[in-house]
Amino acid sequence: MQATLFCLKVGDLLSYSMSDSNTTDFSSPSTFILLGIPGLEAAHIWISIPFFIMYTVTLLGNFTILFIVKTEPRLHVPMYYFLCMLAVTDLVLSTSTMPKMLSIFWFNSREIDFSLCLTQLYFIHCCIAMESGIVVAMALDRYVAICDPLRHSTTLTNCFVANIGLAVVLRGSILALPYPFLARRWPYCRTNIISHTYCEHIAVVKLACADIRISNYYGLSVAFLGTGVDVSFITVSYIQILRAIFSLPTKDARLKTFGTCGSHLGVILAFYIPALFSFLTHRFGHNVPPHFHILMANMYILLPSMLNPIIYGVRTKQIRDRLIWHVTHIE
């Protein structure tokens, strides 16, 4: 019964949007309608449960990382400064999408202001670019710590780390700026209904009644050039790191040194594998059901943000010990 009523509501929205586009100037819509996950409307409540749990873990995990690093002077070193940058980025990225998505699932709150939609789009792409840059900065930290340990403290000073953080923010902000700028300049004369849970770039610009190849080309350029440069830098760094590790005299020394890279490698896999999978299914998976695309896009946003604090919390002894200390003293 609920599914039938929802279908009738969607039909009313579609007919209203089509009639409105024929009678009014629709070149700059005041609102968009987010449908959620088309085809799985009846399961929205059930789908919201794992997403809510993941978002809760994301908030608790990343705020815990920030609290522990702030209160533990021994963790005031470059690697954990970069980890704090990653935690803040993950919090902004997940919070830019999850509250609205949960409101769609729980309260059927589907409307989103056009300007707010473009703002959400901007923060998503900005945070993704920043996260990739932070992962590169972490690779630099591991490279200097392993390949040139005597110069680590003099090379990665607080000032140098702050400059890297500023460069990461500026790069992410500049790379993300064309997305909403291009989306705003297109005329929208078809419909204002987006078959997604958030304002994903391609889902928005596909509604335009204009040639959107510039938006497509820019998105591909950022994906291949921006991310490609980051992945290339990480790859070169780890080639040098592995060469340094295998040159160590004993097996124990090699394992201990490689173990210091374990958390960072986990973050790399957690970030780039969902990104690659989402990108490939979106660009080339034409036979993949739309709801699968949308689920993968949401996992790409949320999964790395949830896993990053877990990976560092489990693998990093200083964070794990400090967390246990806080828990026991609360009790």
Side-chain angles (χ1 to χ4, degrees), residues 2 23 28 41 102-103 114 120 140 148 168 175 197 226 251 274:
Q2 292 179 345
T23 58
S28 182
E41 292 87 357
L102 292 174
S103 72
F114 180 62
Q120 185 188 59
L140 173 64
D148 198 2
V168 166
L175 286 177
T197 56
K251 182 179 178 181

Side-chain angles (χ1 to χ4, degrees), residues 148-192:
D148 198 2
L150 296 179
R151 297 180 58 186
H152 183 264
S153 59
T154 57
T155 301
L156 292 174
T157 61
N158 289 343
C159 182
F160 186 73
V161 171
N163 287 333
I164 290 178
L166 180 61
V168 166
V169 172
L170 288 176
R171 190 190 78 149
S173 302
I174 293 169
L175 286 177
L177 194 59
Y179 289 106
F181 176 79
L182 290 172
R184 181 176 285 278
R185 67 188 293 264
W186 302 132
Y188 295 88
C189 58
R190 294 173 181 167
T191 179
N192 65 337

Side-chain angles (χ1 to χ4, degrees), residues 121-310:
L121 187 153
Y122 173 78
F123 274 104
I124 290 170
H125 286 282
C126 180
C127 289
I128 289 172
M130 286 174 57
E131 186 149 346
S132 184
I134 294 167
V135 172
V136 172
M138 288 176 152
L140 173 64
D141 173 73
R142 291 299 84 206
Y143 167 76
V144 177
I146 292 173
C147 298
D148 198 2
L150 296 179
R151 297 180 58 186
H152 183 264
S153 59
T154 57
T155 301
L156 292 174
T157 61
N158 289 343
C159 182
F160 186 73
V161 171
N163 287 333
I164 290 178
L166 180 61
V168 166
V169 172
L170 288 176
R171 190 190 78 149
S173 302
I174 293 169
L175 286 177
L177 194 59
Y179 289 106
F181 176 79
L182 290 172
R184 181 176 285 278
R185 67 188 293 264
W186 302 132
Y188 295 88
C189 58
R190 294 173 181 167
T191 179
N192 65 337
I193 296 176
I194 302 173
S195 298
H196 215 294
T197 56
Y198 61 85
C199 291
E200 195 267 338
H201 174 238
I202 296 299
V204 172
V205 298
K206 277 183 177 179
L207 303 181
C209 52
D211 187 349
I212 60 169
R213 282 181 295 180
I214 296 176
S215 290
N216 286 330
Y217 290 156
Y218 182 74
L220 287 171
S221 298
V222 171
F224 283 111
L225 296 178
T227 307
V229 169
D230 290 351
V231 172
S232 298
F233 186 90
I234 293 169
T235 303
V236 171
S237 297
Y238 268 92
I239 289 173
Q240 298 300 317
I241 288 171
L242 290 174
R243 288 179 60 184
I245 289 174
F246 285 117
S247 66
L248 295 174
T250 65
K251 182 179 178 181
D252 288 342
R254 289 194 292 269
L255 290 174
K256 184 178 180 180
T257 305
F258 186 75
T260 64
C261 301
S263 298
H264 183 240
L265 286 172
V267 168
I268 292 172
L269 295 176
F271 178 71
Y272 286 111
I273 289 179
L276 178 64
F277 192 73
S278 178
F279 176 80
L280 291 176
T281 55
H282 191 82
R283 295 287 177 178
F284 307 109
H286 302 297
N287 296 324
V288 176
H291 64 265
F292 186 78
H293 279 296
I294 297 170
L295 286 171
M296 286 299 100
N298 282 288
M299 293 300 290
Y300 166 45
I301 295 291
L302 194 56
L303 190 62
S305 301
M306 181 191 73
L307 290 179
N308 289 340
I310 294 175

Side-chain angles (χ1 to χ4, degrees), residues 68 72 74-75 80 316-323:
I68 289 176
E72 178 52 68
R74 291 180 301 170
L75 300 181
Y80 296 105
T316 307
K317 185 178 185 299
Q318 295 95 321
I319 292 178
R320 191 170 61 247
D321 290 347
R322 192 66 180 176
L323 178 61

